[in-house]
């Protein structure tokens, strides 16, 4: 039955006391009686407001180092009793249990404690027992009780009480209950995932309460939302809000550039690199990356792993781009780059990224470990008569890093720490190679002496033959085809070299 409820008694026990005072004073002005514990009890009393200690209500002190404070029938009976149930009313009268109409409780900072690197014994102590029980009890009895489980709802409750003369309506209470169950379920998921790290149960549980509404999804007719804390990842220094497609490209850009240690600049379109180079300076890396494909670079996402100075910024400023990501910017560089209001400029923060990834598929979810494997020169086994030089090995590692982050089927051509061209997203490996060769010639690159990397093995020797005829001198592939020897023989016949890694890098 929907009815307005006047708050007479409130139980308040919170870890965070930010912005609590105005609400306490408003409730006090409305004639509300307060029950509380520990620090919150002292906080209310220090405001000059009377407060009843929960231990005076229950007849029991806080025990076991504070583990047991509110777990008592006189507390939970006051919350859970149904005001329109005659038997409930008789029982609370018999046991002298006050009706509690408002519960303001938050939870110990479990996730924050885990992130701090605290010892396990300290983490375990941040598993809230009384708080989570109070939240569930009050939320369950939303017909009669208001539950506030987050300091973010203080203002909302204050506004409701102001607008309704100190009363709440059923719609308000049900809305607060929904928020409370969101808080409690998120908290339990965090605890479960902490315990599920060693010998994990085969279940999928994920919860994220930070939400950013996007302008739209992949296309204007699709709704889009990002769940996560972008402010933890980036400081946005300029520009419009990131779109769904921006975020997909930014994710790809971050994953790619994190493969490189030398000063590296990458330009991406639709998650694939259209230009990338490693050089001794970030300025030279930018110039070389842009030269890879200056046409596709238009409207791209740019990323580098070094700070951007004024000279580099002046060069970048000549290009129209959507997003620029760097670890830092000089004052002069930032002044120049922020001259266009829609241009998104992000300063990247150092945070630990997840090691797993998942997505919805059919009527469920698929999850996998991220592809964090990257083969170095010591894992490259030469299988041909011709062996790679030191420079060619460096270029093979460089090309393989790009392959790993390019849509399959893919072929990457590289030379001297720079992408020459790539073919990506093709239904055959031959098509990917031919696409790369055509693109390289379109921008007048000389393929003589370059290396080629493939994300998967060659089922036939045709790619090796085509590559050799185009000027490729060294090939990297995982190997593993039953016809590997045919590709090796072709390489030997053409006088080029080949290495295998034993690791495939498909990206669908």
């Amino acid at each position: 039955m929907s009815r307005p409820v006047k708050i007479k008694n409130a139980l308040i026990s919170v870890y965070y006391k930010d912005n609590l005072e105005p609400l306490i004073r408003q409730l006090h002005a409305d004639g509300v009686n307060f029950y509380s514990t520990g620090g919150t009890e002292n906080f209310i009393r220090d405001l000059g407001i009377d407060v009843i200690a929960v231990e005076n209500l229950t007849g029991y002190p806080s025990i076991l180092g504070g583990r047991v404070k509110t777990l008592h029938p006189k507390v939970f009976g006051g919350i859970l009793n149904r005001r329109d149930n005659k038997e409930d009313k008789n029982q609370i009268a018999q046991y002298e249990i006050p009706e509690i109409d408002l519960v303001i409780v938050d939870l110990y900072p479990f996730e924050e404690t885990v992130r701090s690197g605290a010892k396990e014994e300290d983490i375990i102590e941040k598993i809230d027992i009384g708080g989570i029980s109070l939240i569930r009890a009050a939320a369950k009895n939303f017909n009669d009780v208001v539950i506030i489980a987050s300091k973010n709802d203080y203002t909302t409750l204050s506004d409701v009480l102001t607008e309704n003369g100190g009363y709440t309506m059923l719609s308000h209470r049900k809305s607060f209950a929904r928020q409370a169950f969101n808080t409690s379920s998120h908290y339990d998921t965090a605890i479960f995932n902490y315990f599920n790290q060693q010998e994990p149960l085969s279940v999928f549980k994920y919860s994220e309460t930070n939400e950013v509404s996007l302008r739209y999804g992949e296309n204007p007719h699709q709704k889009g939302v990002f769940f996560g804390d972008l402010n933890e990842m980036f400081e946005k220094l300029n520009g419009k809000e990131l779109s769904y497609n921006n975020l997909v490209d930014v994710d790809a850009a971050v994953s790619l550039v994190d493969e490189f240690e030398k000063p590296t600049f990458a330009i991406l379109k639709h998650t694939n690199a259209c230009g990338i180079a490693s050089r001794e300076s970030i300025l030279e890396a930018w110039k070389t990356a842009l030269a890879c494909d200056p046409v596709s670079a238009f409207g791209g996402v740019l990323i580098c792993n070094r700070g951007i100075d004024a000279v580099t910024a002046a060069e970048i400023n000549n290009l129209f781009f959507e997003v620029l990501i760097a670890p830092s910017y000089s004052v002069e560089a930032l002044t120049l780059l922020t001259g266009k209001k829609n241009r998104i400029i992000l300063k990247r923060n150092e945070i630990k990224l997840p090691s797993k990834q998942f997505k919805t598929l059919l009527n469920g979810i698929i999850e996998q470990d991220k592809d964090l494997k990257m083969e170095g020169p010591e894992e490259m086994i030469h299988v041909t008569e011709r062996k790679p030089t030191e420079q060619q090995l460096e270029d093979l590692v460089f090309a393989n890093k790009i392959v790993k982050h390019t849509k399959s089927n893919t072929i990457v051509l590289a030379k001297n720490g720079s992408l020459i061209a790539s073919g990506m997203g093709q239904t055959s490996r031959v098509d990917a190679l031919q696409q790369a060769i055509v693109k390289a010639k379109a921008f007048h690159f000389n393929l003589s002496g370059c290396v080629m990397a493939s994300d998967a093995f060659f089922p036939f020797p045709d790619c090796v033959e085509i590559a050799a005829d185009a000027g490729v001198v060294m090939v990297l592939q995982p190997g593993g085809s039953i016809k590997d020897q045919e590709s090796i023989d072709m390489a030997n016949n053409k006088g080029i070299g080949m290495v295998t890694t034993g690791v495939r890098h498909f990206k669908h």
Side-chain angles (χ1 to χ4, degrees):
M1 177 179 174
S2 177
R3 62 184 179 83
V5 170
K6 175 76 171 177
I7 297 173
K8 305 179 294 297
N9 299 310
L11 171 62
I12 306 177
S13 181
V14 295
Y15 187 90
Y16 299 105
K17 298 171 182 65
D18 318 43
N19 303 317
L20 181 61
E21 180 180 346
L23 183 57
I24 295 291
R25 293 195 181 280
Q26 180 178 0
L27 292 167
H28 176 62
D30 286 343
V32 175
N33 299 312
F34 297 104
Y35 296 87
S36 191
T37 63
T40 309
E41 177 190 342
N42 294 332
F43 178 86
I44 296 172
R45 189 168 284 114
D46 288 344
L47 297 178
I49 295 173
D50 290 338
V51 56
I52 301 168
V54 166
E55 61 188 46
N56 291 339
L57 170 64
T58 64
Y60 281 87
S62 172
I63 61 173
L64 306 182
R67 283 188 165 197
V68 180
K69 290 182 284 191
T70 56
L71 296 170
H72 191 280
K74 281 209 169 184
V75 174
F76 283 85
I79 296 170
L80 285 165
N81 77 88
R82 293 157 291 189
R83 276 49 165 184
D84 59 354
N85 184 292
K86 184 176 180 180
E87 187 175 345
D88 284 8
K89 291 179 71 70
N90 290 337
Q91 286 184 340
I92 65 167
Q94 177 184 355
Y95 296 109
E96 299 179 334
I97 299 174
E99 291 182 343
I100 296 174
D101 315 295
L102 168 64
V103 175
I104 302 178
V105 177
D106 59 14
L107 300 168
Y108 291 155
F110 179 83
E111 290 178 280
E112 293 88 337
T113 306
V114 171
R115 283 196 294 266
S116 73
K119 295 182 294 185
E120 180 160 274
E121 61 192 76
D122 295 325
I123 292 172
I124 298 305
E125 285 307 309
K126 289 299 185 288
I127 298 176
D128 207 309
I129 304 300
I132 201 82
S133 302
L134 290 167
I135 288 172
R136 290 180 66 85
K140 176 178 180 176
N141 202 23
F142 65 85
N143 273 318
D144 301 300
V145 179
V146 177
I147 173 62
I148 300 295
S150 168
K151 61 185 178 181
N152 297 327
D153 291 329
Y154 292 171
T155 300
T156 305
L157 175 61
S158 177
D159 291 343
V160 166
L161 295 176
T162 299
E163 293 168 7
N164 294 275
Y167 286 84
T168 63
M169 307 304 291
L170 180 63
S171 59
H172 302 136
R173 299 191 295 276
K174 195 167 186 177
S175 177
F176 286 129
R178 181 178 66 244
Q179 295 281 17
F181 282 124
N182 178 40
T183 296
S184 64
S185 64
H186 177 79
Y187 193 75
D188 284 339
T189 298
I191 294 170
F192 169 78
N193 285 332
Y194 171 78
F195 278 93
N196 202 41
Q197 296 177 84
Q198 302 297 325
E199 299 181 7
L201 299 174
S202 185
V203 297
F204 180 84
K205 290 183 186 291
Y206 184 82
S207 177
E208 177 56 65
T209 56
N210 291 302
E211 175 256 349
V212 178
S213 294
L214 306 175
R215 296 197 302 275
Y216 50 79
E218 199 163 9
N219 298 290
H221 61 275
Q222 296 170 268
K223 182 179 178 181
V225 180
F226 174 79
F227 290 98
D229 188 357
L230 280 176
N231 293 327
E232 183 183 25
M233 183 83 196
F234 302 109
E235 179 182 353
K236 188 159 80 73
L237 304 175
N238 189 71
K240 58 188 178 182
E241 294 304 314
L242 287 158
S243 70
Y244 181 99
N245 292 331
N246 288 154
L247 287 168
V248 173
D249 283 336
V250 166
D251 175 70
V254 167
S255 296
L256 173 60
V257 84
D258 280 356
E259 298 282 359
F260 299 89
E261 295 180 1
K262 291 180 65 175
T264 301
F265 224 118
I267 306 168
L268 287 87
K269 289 290 285 290
H270 302 292
T271 75
N272 296 305
C274 57
I276 181 169
S278 295
R279 290 291 183 267
E280 293 304 313
S281 74
I282 207 66
L283 174 60
E284 289 306 311
W286 162 252
K287 290 179 177 179
T288 309
L290 180 61
C292 295
D293 184 351
V295 175
S296 295
F298 183 86
V301 169
L302 320 180
I303 189 167
C304 62
N305 59 1
R306 297 292 192 279
I308 293 180
D309 57 22
V311 178
T312 307
E315 293 288 335
I316 297 170
N317 199 49
N318 294 321
L319 177 73
F320 169 75
F321 61 87
E322 284 278 330
V323 184
L324 172 61
I325 309 161
S328 64
Y329 303 84
S330 72
V331 174
E332 297 83 0
L334 199 56
T335 300
L336 182 61
L337 292 167
T338 56
K340 295 182 180 179
K341 66 178 184 178
N342 287 332
R343 184 185 272 173
I344 301 169
I345 308 296
L346 302 176
K347 177 179 175 292
R348 186 176 172 189
N349 301 322
E350 287 296 326
I351 67 166
K352 184 179 179 180
L353 295 173
S355 60
K356 290 185 178 293
Q357 55 190 177
F358 58 87
K359 64 179 180 180
T360 59
L361 188 148
L362 300 175
N363 61 340
I365 291 167
I366 54 174
E367 180 186 55
Q368 67 172 355
D369 297 331
K370 276 189 176 179
D371 184 0
L372 300 177
K373 172 73 175 171
M374 179 42 60
E375 307 74 61
E378 65 283 354
E379 296 165 280
M380 295 179 182
I381 301 171
H382 71 270
V383 293
T384 52
E385 296 166 4
R386 182 171 179 175
K387 298 179 181 180
T389 65
E390 185 175 336
Q391 179 60 53
Q392 288 167 354
L393 275 174
E394 285 186 23
D395 284 341
L396 288 171
V397 172
F398 179 87
N400 199 31
K401 289 176 178 179
I402 303 170
V403 156
K404 173 181 165 181
H405 296 279
T406 305
K407 190 171 181 61
S408 299
N409 287 310
T410 184
I411 291 289
V412 168
L413 305 177
K415 184 163 63 174
N416 297 327
S418 172
L419 173 67
I420 299 300
S422 62
M424 77 281 288
Q426 299 301 305
T427 53
S428 83
R429 205 155 299 283
V430 171
D431 286 347
L433 172 57
Q434 290 175 334
Q435 182 190 46
I437 292 171
V438 168
K439 196 156 195 176
K441 290 180 178 178
F443 292 105
H444 308 293
F445 283 108
N446 181 1
L447 292 178
S448 178
C450 77
V451 304
M452 176 177 81
S454 173
D455 58 338
F457 64 63
F458 300 116
F460 305 102
D462 45 7
C463 279
V464 178
E465 182 178 15
I466 294 168
D469 291 345
V472 170
V473 295
M474 194 62 56
V475 175
L476 176 148
Q477 61 139 331
S481 168
I482 60 174
K483 295 185 177 182
D484 270 352
Q485 192 58 50
E486 293 183 19
S487 293
I488 295 169
D489 291 343
M490 179 61 72
N492 284 328
N493 291 337
K494 291 289 185 178
I496 69 173
M498 179 183 292
V499 301
T500 59
T501 63
V503 180
R504 188 185 74 185
H505 289 295
F506 269 164
K507 184 185 177 189
H508 285 91

